[in-house]
Amino acid sequence: ADTVALPYGGAWASEHSAASNGTLAAGATPDAVEWHWQLGTSQPATEFSAAAHPVQDGADTFDRIEFTASADAPMRMWVQFRMPGAGDQRWGRSIYLDATPRHVVVRMSELTPQGFSATRRPLVAKIKALLLVVDTLHTPPGRGGVVHLSEVQLLRSEPVSGPNGQQEIRGPREEQQVGRPGRQGGRQ
């Protein structure tokens, strides 16, 4: 598999609602990120804090993100991908963290639209940012915490070609179908 590493550095940035907060710092190792977040209380339904990293051109065929993460207290957060343009289209999946560092794998095929989305699955070539998000769907307003991240990387396996040579993203349990259109199963 090819990898695109996302270590701590100038590319990580904090995004948050007006009353919430977030800061990023270098972690214990060169590839680690420490994210301190705090949700505000002034507009409970819209409070959020996010750690964001741009996805550069050339990472357009990745099929998953992997990282090691832990949190100072049990929590749920979103792993999201954002496309540029009107409507802030995003796809994501929630993950659970606690004090035990765990290896997290989020496959593109497991993502669901977050809010309005023009497509059922993200167009990998157009994704421009990775977001790790804490919001009031999973966390009470006013709460804060620390998330430790390391070895954050986008990975791509051997590409699976679809019609016209386009990349096809399959679910983890989907098998490739070979045969004529409209028929299930093997070769005809």
Side-chain angles (χ1 to χ4, degrees), residues 4-5 28 35 66 76 92 99 108 112 137 139 152 164 166 172 184 186:
V4 176
W35 172 35
E66 294 186 17
R76 229 172 223 294
M108 298 302 285
T112 58
L137 181 63
T139 307
V152 182
N164 302 320
Q166 297 171 341
Q184 301 286 19

Side-chain angles (χ1 to χ4, degrees), residues 135-148:
D135 64 13
T136 55
L137 181 63
H138 298 301
T139 307
R143 183 167 169 213
V146 180
V147 173
H148 302 275

Side-chain angles (χ1 to χ4, degrees), residues 8-25 33-40 48-54 82 129-134 145 149:
Y8 179 75
W12 281 96
S14 176
E15 297 181 8
H16 52 82
S17 54
S20 297
N21 200 355
T23 58
L24 295 157
V33 179
E34 192 172 280
W35 172 35
H36 296 258
W37 56 271
Q38 177 74 45
L39 294 182
F48 77 94
S49 182
H53 195 290
R82 176 173 59 203
L130 159 68
L131 300 166
L132 304 174
V133 182
V134 177
L149 304 162

Side-chain angles (χ1 to χ4, degrees), residues 156-169:
R156 61 182 144 242
S157 301
E158 194 65 33
V160 177
S161 292
N164 302 320
Q166 297 171 341
Q167 180 186 7
E168 178 183 320
I169 299 176

